[in-house]
Amino acid sequence: MINHSMTSTFQTNLTDTTYNGWTNYETWNVALWLGNDEGLYNLARGFAEHGYKSLSHMLIEMSPETPDGVKWDDEALNVCELNEMLEEL
């Protein structure tokens, strides 16, 4: 086992590989919908300063998952990565 002196606590799994530049499929799918659906994009911009966790509560009230079936609060989501995306909106 390799010991890395600097690990990230938000990493979902040490064996994760990237998916289209995102941590995993779930994070990519959520980011894709937030960035490409006009209504979700505008909602995300309004929640950007509060972070993805706050946004996910609102999204769940509208629908429990993305149109592709990924839950807005899926345990595999890299919330730190989604927060960074929201900051760039």
Side-chain angles (χ1 to χ4, degrees):
M1 180 174 183
I2 298 173
N3 184 3
H4 296 284
S5 61
M6 202 168 185
T7 59
S8 302
T9 58
F10 60 84
Q11 193 170 11
T12 57
N13 186 339
L14 292 177
T15 59
D16 281 347
T17 57
T18 61
Y19 193 89
N20 291 332
W22 296 88
T23 299
N24 53 35
Y25 172 80
E26 293 81 6
T27 304
W28 168 78
N29 186 261
V30 166
L32 183 73
W33 280 103
L34 294 178
N36 291 301
D37 180 278
E38 184 177 5
L40 294 176
Y41 177 83
N42 290 331
L43 182 65
R45 286 185 62 198
F47 277 83
E49 67 184 59
H50 303 289
Y52 180 75
K53 285 285 190 182
S54 294
L55 172 62
S56 70
H57 295 297
M58 179 61 72
L59 294 167
I60 290 169
E61 287 184 30
M62 295 171 24
S63 172
E65 56 193 30
T66 70
D68 296 315
V70 175
K71 292 182 180 181
W72 294 114
D73 61 348
D74 194 294
E75 290 182 16
L77 291 173
N78 184 326
V79 175
C80 292
E81 196 170 19
L82 291 170
N83 285 336
E84 289 176 12
M85 181 205 72
L86 290 176
E87 290 173 6
E88 296 174 4
L89 296 179

